[in-house]
Amino acid sequence: MAVKVTFSVIVISLVLLFFGQHIFKVFGITLDAFKIGAGALLFLTAVRLIYGNKDGQKPTDKNLSDLAVVPLALP
């Protein structure tokens, strides 16, 4: 899982490094708006992790590795 997350972080970082300004211009996103949105998503993810899984399903190893990439790689 660590290798998968590391690879995802590198890819996302390189895309934002080389194409970030162009992507932001296309969608009309300012840097301050991006910071606020990223902080809000990080906060909501933290709140969801605090409350846990309420449906009673235990995550399997395959399920866990697929779900772990997004919260770990994007913030």
Side-chain angles (χ1 to χ4, degrees):
M1 181 169 66
V3 172
K4 194 175 190 181
V5 170
T6 303
F7 179 73
S8 298
V9 168
I10 290 170
V11 169
I12 291 169
S13 297
L14 289 175
V15 167
L16 287 177
L17 176 68
F18 293 115
F19 303 110
Q21 290 180 352
H22 303 294
I23 293 171
F24 282 11
K25 283 182 187 177
V26 167
F27 291 112
I29 300 171
T30 63
L31 187 58
D32 291 332
F34 181 75
K35 289 179 183 178
I36 291 170
L41 284 175
L42 190 59
F43 175 74
L44 291 174
T45 302
V47 169
R48 191 176 67 180
L49 289 173
I50 289 172
Y51 285 118
N53 191 2
K54 292 186 178 185
D55 58 357
Q57 295 179 359
K58 297 287 182 184
T60 62
D61 288 337
K62 183 181 181 218
N63 218 8
L64 186 62
S65 68
D66 288 342
L67 294 175
V69 172
V70 174
L72 293 175
L74 290 180

